[in-house]
Amino acid sequence: NQEENLLQLIETLDKYPSAPIFHWGHYDKSRLKKEMRRFGLEKKFSSLSHRFYDLHSILESQWALPIYSYSLKQVAKYFGFTWSEKGMDGISATVKYLEYFTNEFHNQNIIDSLVQYNYDDLRATWLVKNWLCTKREEITKNRSEKDFK
């Protein structure tokens, strides 16, 4: 049940009220807002909105990387990450998802590959977040060392 899953997510986020919520691009935040509105939880979304950090926006506005695009796939690949599900992207994941629910047999392999793909997306996002944090620490350290010279 989507509402139960959403309430469970909110309960988990409430356990960590100062924890940031990292995401890649506008879709995740927009989708969560839409789902919370659907179930009458607009005020709850408003109370969470200050915790969202769009790593795509932060990276793209602060860093120039030698890559074709700033998609999560391109950025994470540049940092050495590889996805377990070869050839899968957001569109093919959506197609697989729809295939699963329109097929009466509900092939478990489809769900397993989608779970792995999403898990890899989380790991890739975490990798980029850690890279950005490391760079921030290096810049802060370099600035403070210059201030004392």
Side-chain angles (χ1 to χ4, degrees), residues 94-125:
T94 301
V95 169
K96 280 189 172 215
Y97 178 80
L98 294 172
E99 179 186 326
Y100 177 82
F101 283 104
T102 57
N103 184 326
E104 64 182 285
F105 300 109
H106 297 303
N107 184 339
Q108 185 62 38
N109 291 335
I110 292 174
I111 291 298
D112 293 344
S113 69
L114 290 171
V115 167
Q116 184 61 51
Y117 174 75
N118 281 299
Y119 179 68
D120 285 349
D121 267 2
L122 292 172
R123 289 177 43 235
T125 303

Side-chain angles (χ1 to χ4, degrees), residues 22 127-139:
F22 297 107
L127 173 78
V128 175
K129 190 271 313 174
N130 287 338
W131 185 87
L132 286 167
C133 287
T134 299
K135 291 299 177 190
R136 183 186 66 195
E137 289 169 10
E138 289 173 6
I139 290 168

Side-chain angles (χ1 to χ4, degrees), residues 5-118:
N5 290 340
L6 189 57
L7 291 171
Q8 186 178 9
L9 172 65
I10 292 167
E11 183 181 318
T12 301
L13 292 172
D14 283 347
K15 288 179 185 177
Y16 308 95
S18 62
I21 303 168
F22 297 107
H23 62 98
W24 192 265
H26 65 86
Y27 178 80
D28 297 322
K29 183 178 178 182
S30 298
R31 183 61 190 215
L32 183 60
K33 182 178 183 178
K34 180 180 178 180
E35 291 302 312
M36 290 180 90
R37 186 181 314 124
R38 187 172 119 183
F39 295 109
L41 300 166
E42 298 94 335
K43 288 183 182 178
K44 186 61 187 173
F45 181 82
S46 294
S47 72
L48 294 172
S49 64
H50 71 281
R51 294 170 56 185
F52 286 92
Y53 292 89
D54 181 354
L55 297 178
H56 173 265
S57 177
I58 293 167
L59 182 74
E60 190 174 47
S61 68
Q62 302 293 319
W63 297 93
L65 301 177
I67 54 179
Y68 178 70
S69 80
Y70 281 80
S71 71
L72 180 58
K73 289 262 187 300
Q74 290 290 313
V75 172
K77 182 180 176 184
Y78 174 75
F79 293 133
F81 188 83
T82 56
W83 269 256
S84 304
E85 295 293 315
K86 305 294 183 216
M88 178 112 59
D89 59 17
I91 292 172
S92 60
T94 301
V95 169
K96 280 189 172 215
Y97 178 80
L98 294 172
E99 179 186 326
Y100 177 82
F101 283 104
T102 57
N103 184 326
E104 64 182 285
F105 300 109
H106 297 303
N107 184 339
Q108 185 62 38
N109 291 335
I110 292 174
I111 291 298
D112 293 344
S113 69
L114 290 171
V115 167
Q116 184 61 51
Y117 174 75
N118 281 299

